[in-house]
Amino acid sequence: MKNGLSTDEVKERLSSFGYNELPSEKPKNIFGIAMEVFKEPMFLLLIACGVLYIILGDVNEGVILLSTIFIIIFITFYQYQKTEKALNALKNLSSPRALVLRDGKEIRIAGREVVPDDIVILNEGDRIPADGVLFDTVNLTVDESILTGESVPVIKSSQIDPSNTIGHVFSGTLVVQGKGYAKIFATGLRTRFGEIGCTLLNIEQQETRLHNEMKSLIRNLFILGAILSVVVIIVFYWVRGNFIHSLLNGLANAMAILPEEFPVVLTVFLALGAWRLSKINVLTRKPSAIETLGSATVLCSDKTGTITQNKMEVSVVYDGDNSFFKDSFSENKTQILEIINYAHWASQENPIDPMEKAFYNTHQLLNENSNTPYKLQKEYSLSKSVLAMTRVLKNTANHETLVASKGAPETIFKLCHLNPQESKKYLNIVESYAEKGYRVIAVAKATMKSTALPNSQIHFAFKFLGLIGLEDPIRPEVPQAIKECHDAGVKVIMITGDFPTTARSIAKQIGLNVDHNLITGGDLDTLSDDQLQKIISNISIFARVVPKQKLRIVQALQNNNEIVAMTGDGVNDAPALKAANIGIAMGNKGTDVAREAASLVLLDDNFSSIVSAIRLGRKIFDNLQKAMSYIIAIHIPIIGLTLMPAFFSSLPILLMPLHIVLLELIIDPICSVAFENEQEEENIMKRKPRDPQEKFFGRNKILASVFQGSLLLGMTMTIYFLSIHEGHTNAEVRAIAFSSLVIGNIFLILTNLSKTRNFIKVITEKNWAVWIILSTAIIMLLLIISIPFLQNIFSFEFPGLKHFISSLIGSSLILLTLEILKYLKNKKKFLPLS
């Protein structure tokens, strides 16, 4: 029981019983993906056009057009596989965790790795990973509403009788209070949860503002495309008199206008964005968080374990008269031994809390040859009204009872009924320790005058023993991360339960503005909501704060129109995490309740990971916006060139369905692969947070895309008319104009890949996806305009290489124009914040 299972035993049980998980939806095979493609409007248009070509007698063109379906299926399959792998990785990370005993050590594992006979340690806020029988409990209460529907938590206790459910815990239920040890007897489908047919929850998908905006834009473009297609069919038939050709041109127009890339790009970007965040130890539980990351204006962070390393050690002990630092503990053992022992006895027997671990380690160091057995009689937990923890222990050897208490110095002073002079003397010591960044804990003891235990720890007659200063070093990367936040226009607020002077000392070390006001939890309770809202913009440090007060801090900031990111780890942090615009739960020390309430989970509990997430969130949003801008821009010339011959009977038809499909084979992967893989913008963390009220694709951005597309349309039409004027055949004109469109498209891609870097920098960067796609596009273009068989299929004739010079010159002029406009815009927009 004390050692748990060995590694070999775990492997054996995994092979016998399998993983502790329930069946989930099987990934779609290639035929399932193909069926999804069959339902897409673009696919239906391709079938219609292919059939029409065959009716017209152009069998080769019809077959090739229908064959492109397989190419589209391949691209879709590739995108789907990347997305599916990303979602599966996130799903595994999202699964509840379990603290188990393995090979004599406490380790935290994924819930799916729990096996029968595992010893699981249950703490407040944990989601129970499998069915088990309890053999040790301390005030354990479990919420079983997920199974029974009863909202009242159930009090649990260890039972000898295995048939008594009071001694059982069940998979999926939640520990709301206390602690317990359970031996697992059922996992996966054999649990109570599995028997009633529950299935694994998929990663949460919700309709975000971005999704809704995209739906609206796609709907409007679809309606516009349908109207224009009908108009084109009517006008084309009126002008040219061939209904089949009119229908073919109308379908080509529908293919040109239909923005089928939008939903694909949005899905791929958000799924792969979440996967990329997981690579920097940030798990995305809600996709909306990716959108919101770039808008964050305030980041509220816990100190312990996030800003600091959460590796506490006892640095100094004060016995009422003298201070003894850790390098002299051995020489001054007699002076500090009682204080350390009582601090240890006031802690959990198998400590998880870093502070209690520090007491345990120092106690072991000073008591090498002593191992007096004590049995717990009663524990008085820390509460909001009494910030101290008291444990009553009985020596099993001589039956002596002792009472050990540790807690906040102010609370211990009150419990010991110290006079004002003594309190002032000890508070000065606390202040001096706090100035050095130590977390200060006071220790007291009491003797039992009767066998009856009081209902509250305040009724003991405590005697003050001394003070202990613990040190938790800051993470070395935090000061730079704080500076990045400042440069990015994101205010950092540190929230801690520590003494104010300790908080100020840590704040100074990490580079926070210590000149700003500091507020304690006590001050917070005296302020009204309006008062807090007025002063909170000048506060960078909250000290002596309890978790419930975090919600007030979040609401006060939000009432000032701030976009708040808030970290938390406990059950009581859940309301604040849910209320925050971006709730961030701790992955290591955080409870499952906090993880479920949060949008993001820090897998390494590291503050710098939050800053990296903000940086990556901005990059994902930028690249998504660039991809969408490009989609609109490139569709403008396609629409224009498709419509033009319908209204002018003397002009040769330029873009046929096959040409549009060829363009789509360039556009689709560029949008969903190349743009997604693009580097972050220059000065991405030197600009203000994005305004959350600003539309993802507002009027100005649409007009900018239309302007780019119009430039490309104007250039292509100019070359189109010049070719006609030079006396080229219709097939040569089509080849020259189509080549102009493809070359111009390539130049348009190069300028759109970055909003801040010029195209030369973009060319020299290692975005291999761009070069593979663009190289393929150029090779395809050269092949179809030079090989007779392909010329015949695409209705091209080779006019000679010199006739493509105008296409290169025109495309270069477009690139130069857009690069100059980009430079002028960036001079104003992307200056570093003062």
Side-chain angles (χ1 to χ4, degrees):
M1 284 285 197
K2 288 183 179 179
N3 292 326
L5 297 176
S6 68
T7 304
D8 291 337
E9 287 173 324
V10 170
K11 288 180 181 176
E12 181 187 332
R13 282 164 174 75
L14 272 177
S15 65
S16 300
F17 298 99
Y19 283 104
N20 177 36
E21 58 188 3
L22 304 174
S24 58
E25 185 180 348
K26 291 181 180 178
K28 294 185 181 72
N29 55 29
I30 191 167
F31 299 107
I33 299 168
M35 287 306 297
E36 286 195 357
V37 177
F38 278 123
K39 299 173 187 175
E40 290 294 322
M42 175 60 76
F43 175 81
L44 298 174
L45 289 172
L46 283 172
I47 289 180
C49 293
V51 170
L52 283 173
Y53 270 119
I54 291 170
I55 292 171
L56 289 170
D58 295 331
V59 177
N60 285 341
E61 291 189 29
V63 169
I64 288 174
L65 198 59
L66 292 174
S67 299
T68 57
I69 293 166
F70 296 103
I71 300 174
I72 291 175
I73 288 175
F74 172 77
I75 293 172
T76 308
F77 181 73
Y78 172 74
Q79 292 167 339
Y80 181 87
Q81 283 292 94
K82 283 184 74 177
T83 304
E84 187 71 16
K85 285 179 182 177
L87 290 176
N88 282 336
L90 295 174
K91 189 173 176 181
N92 290 335
L93 287 171
S94 297
S95 68
R97 302 152 312 134
L99 186 65
V100 298
L101 277 173
R102 296 266 178 94
D103 296 315
K105 296 178 182 178
E106 290 182 11
I107 61 169
R108 197 170 286 279
I109 61 173
R112 69 191 293 269
E113 295 172 11
V114 171
V115 296
D117 297 327
D118 250 329
I119 305 301
V120 176
I121 303 164
L122 304 172
N123 291 291
E124 183 178 317
D126 286 349
R127 185 72 68 182
I128 296 170
D131 292 1
V133 61
L134 294 162
F135 60 87
D136 190 14
T137 62
V138 179
N139 301 326
L140 185 66
T141 308
V142 177
D143 177 2
E144 296 185 342
S145 58
I146 193 170
L147 288 176
T148 64
E150 294 291 335
S151 58
V152 179
V154 180
I155 298 171
K156 295 286 184 178
S157 63
S158 52
Q159 296 284 329
I160 298 173
D161 181 6
S163 64
N164 192 335
T165 57
I166 294 296
H168 289 187
V169 288
F170 301 103
S171 174
T173 58
L174 182 69
V175 179
V176 294
Q177 188 178 340
K179 183 174 181 176
Y181 291 79
K183 184 176 182 180
I184 299 303
F185 61 77
T187 59
L189 282 171
R190 292 167 290 278
T191 63
R192 182 85 65 88
F193 200 60
E195 286 172 3
I196 60 175
C198 293
T199 56
L200 277 178
L201 295 174
N202 292 322
I203 286 183
E204 185 176 346
Q205 300 287 342
Q206 59 184 40
E207 289 299 316
T208 64
R209 177 174 174 172
L210 181 56
H211 275 96
N212 292 331
E213 198 176 323
M214 284 300 101
K215 275 186 178 179
S216 176
L217 182 61
I218 291 167
R219 184 188 66 244
N220 293 340
L221 289 174
F222 185 83
I223 293 170
L224 176 65
I227 293 170
L228 281 176
S229 297
V230 172
V231 170
V232 165
I233 291 170
I234 295 169
V235 172
F236 199 98
Y237 180 69
W238 181 268
V239 171
R240 304 200 181 216
N242 188 320
F243 180 73
I244 297 293
H245 278 99
S246 303
L247 191 59
L248 198 60
N249 208 58
L251 290 172
N253 184 71
M255 290 170 65
I257 296 173
L258 192 68
E260 80 288 345
E261 301 96 346
F262 279 6
V264 173
V265 168
L266 187 59
T267 302
V268 168
F269 266 71
L270 291 183
L272 293 185
W275 176 75
R276 289 187 189 281
L277 282 168
S278 74
K279 292 297 182 183
I280 58 167
N281 294 314
V282 180
L283 170 64
T284 308
R285 296 196 73 256
K286 298 174 184 175
S288 56
I290 297 175
E291 298 174 41
T292 317
L293 274 170
S295 303
T297 58
V298 176
L299 174 52
C300 299
S301 175
D302 284 329
K303 176 186 76 69
T304 306
T306 309
I307 289 173
T308 60
Q309 296 180 27
N310 202 22
K311 295 178 181 177
M312 282 195 167
E313 59 180 14
V314 175
S315 296
V316 61
V317 178
Y318 176 75
D319 67 352
D321 295 308
N322 299 299
S323 294
F324 302 95
F325 291 89
K326 62 183 176 183
D327 55 358
S328 65
F329 282 175
S330 298
E331 300 92 60
N332 299 288
K333 180 177 176 179
T334 53
Q335 288 94 327
I336 66 173
L337 185 59
E338 185 180 30
I339 300 168
I340 293 295
N341 284 349
Y342 271 87
H344 167 64
W345 291 329
S347 305
Q348 297 288 344
E349 189 176 348
N350 295 303
I352 297 172
D353 182 80
M355 180 184 68
E356 294 189 342
K357 282 184 177 178
F359 293 149
Y360 173 81
N361 292 335
T362 310
H363 170 265
Q364 292 294 100
L365 180 70
L366 299 177
N367 294 273
E368 292 177 6
N369 301 316
S370 174
N371 189 20
T372 308
Y374 286 98
K375 186 174 182 182
L376 179 68
Q377 299 294 298
K378 187 167 183 176
E379 180 178 284
Y380 299 88
S381 300
L382 182 142
S383 65
K384 185 179 178 183
S385 57
V386 183
L387 294 173
M389 179 178 178
T390 300
R391 299 177 90 235
V392 181
L393 301 167
K394 190 172 185 178
N395 187 323
T396 55
N398 60 18
H399 303 290
E400 179 188 352
T401 301
L402 63 84
V403 181
S405 184
K406 71 176 190 324
E410 309 100 308
T411 303
I412 296 295
F413 297 163
K414 287 179 183 178
L415 290 177
C416 295
H417 303 291
L418 298 182
N419 62 47
Q421 290 79 16
E422 289 176 312
S423 293
K424 185 177 180 181
K425 172 189 172 183
Y426 298 143
L427 278 173
N428 288 336
I429 299 296
V430 171
E431 193 81 16
S432 67
Y433 287 175
E435 285 174 358
K436 295 175 182 177
Y438 297 142
R439 182 176 182 182
V440 186
I441 297 295
V443 183
K445 71 175 184 178
T447 53
M448 291 290 295
K449 294 181 179 178
S450 69
T451 55
L453 292 173
N455 293 326
S456 172
Q457 57 188 317
I458 65 174
H459 298 305
F460 285 107
F462 283 109
K463 178 188 174 185
F464 177 73
L465 290 178
L467 301 169
I468 299 177
L470 299 107
E471 187 176 23
D472 183 10
I474 66 165
R475 293 180 183 266
E477 63 273 17
V478 168
Q480 178 59 31
I482 296 280
K483 184 179 182 301
E484 280 190 50
C485 282
H486 174 73
D487 292 342
V490 180
K491 178 183 176 181
V492 178
I493 294 176
M494 186 177 78
I495 301 174
T496 177
D498 280 347
F499 201 74
T501 315
T502 307
R504 202 180 289 276
S505 171
I506 296 294
K508 191 173 182 180
Q509 292 179 54
I510 62 176
L512 279 186
N513 189 348
V514 293
D515 296 329
H516 278 188
N517 294 330
L518 179 149
I519 281 188
T520 65
D523 297 332
L524 204 59
D525 287 336
T526 64
L527 295 172
S528 68
D529 290 341
D530 289 338
Q531 289 173 322
L532 178 61
Q533 185 182 336
K534 287 176 183 175
I535 67 169
I536 200 166
S537 57
N538 293 319
I539 298 168
S540 295
I541 309 163
F542 286 88
R544 277 288 184 257
V545 169
V546 294
K548 287 183 179 179
Q549 293 173 322
K550 286 186 177 182
L551 181 59
R552 285 197 67 200
I553 295 170
V554 169
Q555 290 171 336
L557 289 166
Q558 288 176 329
N559 289 336
N560 284 341
N561 298 318
E562 304 282 6
I563 304 300
V564 184
M566 167 68 79
T567 68
D569 57 9
V571 176
N572 290 336
D573 289 332
L577 293 174
K578 197 164 187 178
N581 303 90
I582 309 168
I584 305 170
M586 301 297 109
N588 289 332
K589 64 175 181 171
T591 60
D592 286 330
V593 174
R595 287 158 60 95
E596 287 167 14
S599 309
L600 302 174
V601 177
L602 288 188
L603 300 177
D604 60 357
D605 293 4
N606 194 335
F607 178 84
S608 64
S609 294
I610 306 173
V611 182
S612 299
I614 291 173
R615 174 187 287 274
L616 187 54
R618 289 186 175 193
K619 172 189 168 182
I620 293 165
F621 197 88
D622 282 350
N623 287 344
L624 179 57
Q625 207 165 56
K626 288 183 287 188
M628 297 296 191
S629 298
Y630 165 72
I631 290 170
I632 291 180
I634 192 57
H635 274 261
I636 297 299
I638 295 174
I639 294 167
L641 295 171
T642 308
L643 284 173
M644 190 174 59
F647 295 93
F648 302 97
S649 58
S650 59
L651 296 176
I653 295 173
L654 178 55
L655 289 185
M656 300 174 184
L658 198 58
H659 302 135
I660 295 172
V661 167
L662 185 63
L663 287 168
E664 289 292 339
L665 294 178
I666 302 171
I667 295 168
D668 278 358
I670 278 289
C671 294
S672 57
V673 179
F675 275 104
E676 194 280 329
N677 203 41
E678 183 57 25
Q679 291 187 24
E680 67 183 40
E681 296 293 353
E682 290 180 347
N683 298 326
I684 196 168
M685 293 296 279
K686 298 276 187 184
R687 67 189 195 212
K688 291 180 180 179
R690 184 177 57 84
D691 182 358
Q693 300 305 316
E694 180 185 349
K695 282 191 172 183
F696 174 81
F697 233 78
R699 184 177 62 181
N700 290 341
K701 289 187 178 66
I702 291 175
L703 289 175
S705 294
V706 170
F707 171 73
Q708 288 189 2
S710 299
L711 281 179
L712 183 51
L713 173 62
M715 184 272 290
T716 308
M717 288 183 67
T718 301
I719 291 170
Y720 176 70
F721 284 116
L722 279 174
S723 302
I724 293 173
H725 180 72
E726 288 174 359
H728 289 284
T729 64
N730 286 353
E732 287 176 341
V733 169
R734 193 176 293 114
I736 294 169
F738 183 78
S739 300
S740 300
L741 182 57
V742 172
I743 295 167
N745 180 27
I746 290 169
F747 280 42
L748 192 67
I749 290 164
L750 292 177
T751 192
N752 271 290
L753 280 170
S754 175
K755 293 188 289 186
T756 58
R757 308 188 306 282
N758 60 52
F759 79 98
I760 296 172
K761 285 186 178 179
V762 170
I763 290 171
T764 56
E765 288 164 357
K766 295 180 181 179
N767 188 342
W768 300 115
V770 172
W771 288 114
I772 290 169
I773 295 165
L774 294 187
S775 300
T776 304
I778 292 168
I779 292 168
M780 285 171 61
L781 179 64
L782 290 173
L783 291 174
I784 61 176
I785 62 174
S786 58
I787 296 176
F789 173 72
L790 294 176
Q791 287 177 1
N792 183 51
I793 291 171
F794 283 88
S795 302
F796 288 160
E797 286 179 11
F798 187 60
L801 287 175
K802 67 177 182 179
H803 295 288
F804 297 105
I805 295 173
S806 56
S807 301
L808 287 168
I809 293 172
S811 299
S812 300
L813 288 173
I814 291 174
L815 180 65
L816 183 63
T817 302
L818 295 177
E819 286 293 310
I820 291 171
L821 291 174
K822 185 199 295 185
Y823 173 77
L824 294 173
K825 182 181 179 183
N826 289 334
K827 278 189 72 174
K828 294 181 181 179
K829 191 171 181 181
F830 292 109
L831 289 175
L833 298 175
S834 59

